[in-house]
Amino acid sequence: MPWLITRRMAGAHLGKVVAAGVGVTAGFVLALAQVGMMLGWIETSTLGVSRAEADLWVVGEKSPAFDYGSPIPRQRLYQARSVEGVAWAEPLFMAWTVWKRPDGRQVNIEMVGVDRGLVGGPERMEAGRLRDVMREKSVVVDAMYLDLLGVEKVGDRHEIQGRRADVVGISEGVRTFTASPFVFTSIEDAIRYDQRYRHDEITYVMVKCEPGVAVDVVAERLRRMLPSGEVLTAEAFRLRSARYWMVETGIGFSVVVTALLGVVIGGLVVSQTLFGLLQDHRPHYATMLALGFRERTLAMVVMFQAVGLWVVGAVGGLGVFLALKVVAESSPVPLRMTFPVLAGLWLVQLATCLGAGKWVLAKVRKLDPVTVFS
């Protein structure tokens, strides 16, 4: 009976019910998009660490994030290679510098210097070969930032800190959280461009452990071997970088707040939508009260409406979000979502819908059945 009543009430105001479904879907999309953007920013801010696929990182004391490393002696590389359980150890250079466009404009860039193993370089190339950065005065830029850097094609010649930089390749999918694009070159050229590091300094040592060897055991051996600096697992370094950008700098605070607002606003949309349906169906509820329907039946009718709107919003919102996610793949800030986060958002929205349903039910119980005869 409650299900039949719910269907009849919906059919009587089909246009308004459809509009309500669109409103609830919009609330869900807002919540999913904001949380998805926050997860995308976290992924982008830690991409430099994930790209290397190393188990351990040797970094300077209290380096706050991948983007802000400090010089360490190159000797740390050779010391790491001598530790038992290390499969390979590779150096990496990371520093900020200035790129000069053909029109004279200057662009801040994050310059990454790789060694001959190319560890820490881009995973995919759209044009050219990454290995060509080993040639003197050669760089690789990402396709997403060609316009910003003023690059048209492989073979273009530009300047970094007044020194020649020939574009020998174009990478794909190397996003940056800071809006300053990554530019890849060899460690030797990176030191010449930067002019602040000595020739025997690097920024990081990336370490891969041998199969079957515990990462924590190798990390402890490295800490005993190295007199200064820090040894971090890749996960710890990712968390440190994400925390720096999302919490310590304040940049990510607005993203977190907006994500929370997205969830709250989505809940308010659901509440207002259900209240609007209550106003439309007030005569129906009053009639049922006058006919002697039990409160349990009315409660089930209201909750069916609430859960029905939740299902519409959950399915429709996810569909729209997936479409937006595909579009955002070509933008600097992708949308990301994991199943646990999605399930958590769905539960929060379900609780919001049920809470709104209880609020509407309280209004229904206060209706005077006499109004049906007036």
Side-chain angles (χ1 to χ4, degrees):
M1 178 64 71
W3 174 242
L4 178 62
I5 293 173
T6 302
R7 289 177 54 192
R8 293 292 177 84
M9 292 174 70
H13 297 86
L14 186 59
K16 292 184 178 180
V17 171
V18 171
V22 172
V24 174
T25 299
F28 272 64
V29 170
L30 177 61
L32 287 172
Q34 294 300 329
V35 174
M37 184 179 295
M38 182 180 70
L39 294 178
W41 280 31
I42 291 174
E43 178 189 283
T44 304
S45 67
T46 60
L47 189 60
V49 180
S50 303
R51 189 168 53 237
E53 298 183 355
D55 295 322
L56 296 168
W57 288 71
V58 179
V59 307
E61 289 284 354
K62 299 182 180 179
S63 295
F66 173 81
D67 307 86
Y68 291 103
S70 55
I72 60 175
R74 194 180 184 95
Q75 183 184 2
R76 300 288 179 267
L77 171 66
Y78 309 123
Q79 291 173 320
R81 287 174 175 172
S82 67
V83 171
E84 182 182 356
V86 172
W88 53 256
E90 293 289 335
L92 192 73
F93 177 96
M94 172 68 225
W96 294 70
T97 187
V98 177
W99 173 282
K100 188 175 181 181
R101 291 165 44 101
D103 58 9
R105 287 173 49 196
Q106 294 185 336
V107 179
N108 290 326
I109 62 171
E110 296 189 61
M111 188 167 55
V112 179
V114 298
D115 204 16
R116 298 189 180 278
L118 305 178
V119 179
E123 299 171 348
R124 302 187 305 273
M125 295 294 293
E126 184 177 288
R129 302 182 309 168
L130 178 59
R131 184 163 298 280
D132 289 340
V133 297
M134 292 296 107
R135 302 204 309 253
E136 190 176 358
K137 301 177 182 177
S138 299
V139 298
V140 166
V141 299
D142 195 76
M144 194 172 295
Y145 303 97
L146 294 181
D147 291 340
L148 177 62
L149 297 173
V151 175
E152 296 182 356
K153 63 185 185 305
V154 172
D156 284 0
R157 179 166 294 180
H158 297 263
E159 288 185 8
I160 299 176
Q161 293 286 67
R163 295 172 180 265
R164 194 184 84 198
D166 297 329
V167 178
V168 296
I170 298 175
S171 62
E172 180 183 357
V174 182
R175 293 182 173 90
T176 174
F177 179 78
T178 63
S180 297
F182 284 108
V183 173
F184 298 90
T185 186
S186 66
I187 289 181
E188 291 75 18
D189 272 338
I191 293 174
R192 295 189 192 101
Y193 288 133
D194 183 71
Q195 302 177 24
R196 288 171 294 184
Y197 277 53
R198 297 198 306 264
H199 68 89
D200 60 344
E201 289 181 328
I202 53 178
T203 312
Y204 302 115
V205 175
M206 302 167 292
V207 176
K208 186 73 173 179
C209 299
E210 293 179 349
V213 180
V215 174
D216 291 340
V217 172
V218 177
E220 188 57 35
R221 291 171 182 168
L222 281 169
R223 293 187 184 105
R224 290 198 300 265
M225 169 72 72
L226 305 179
S228 62
E230 294 182 86
V231 178
L232 303 174
T233 63
E235 183 62 24
F237 199 22
R238 278 194 292 267
L239 289 174
R240 178 181 290 191
S241 296
R243 183 173 63 249
Y244 174 79
W245 285 115
M246 303 301 292
V247 179
E248 296 180 17
T249 65
I251 294 176
F253 180 75
S254 60
V255 181
V256 175
V257 171
T258 306
L260 293 176
L261 285 177
V263 175
V264 172
I265 292 173
L268 291 176
V269 170
V270 173
S271 302
Q272 291 302 312
T273 301
L274 283 175
F275 183 74
L277 289 176
L278 166 65
Q279 295 297 100
D280 293 334
H281 296 306
R282 182 183 289 269
H284 299 154
Y285 286 120
T287 300
M288 287 187 284
L289 287 171
L291 293 175
F293 275 74
R294 293 183 300 174
E295 285 192 0
R296 180 174 178 273
T297 302
L298 296 180
M300 292 181 68
V301 170
V302 173
M303 289 305 170
F304 275 148
Q305 291 180 348
V307 174
L309 286 174
W310 175 78
V311 171
V312 171
V315 175
L318 180 60
V320 175
F321 173 79
L322 291 177
L324 293 174
K325 185 175 180 294
V326 172
V327 175
E329 284 301 315
S330 59
S331 69
V333 181
L335 294 177
R336 292 289 182 262
M337 186 58 61
T338 63
F339 182 76
V341 174
L342 176 62
L345 285 174
W346 273 348
L347 289 176
V348 169
Q349 295 289 10
L350 177 59
T352 302
C353 289
L354 294 177
K358 288 185 177 180
W359 176 63
V360 169
L361 183 60
K363 300 290 184 182
V364 170
R365 288 170 175 163
K366 294 181 180 179
L367 289 176
D368 186 358
V370 178
T371 57
V372 74
F373 302 108
S374 60

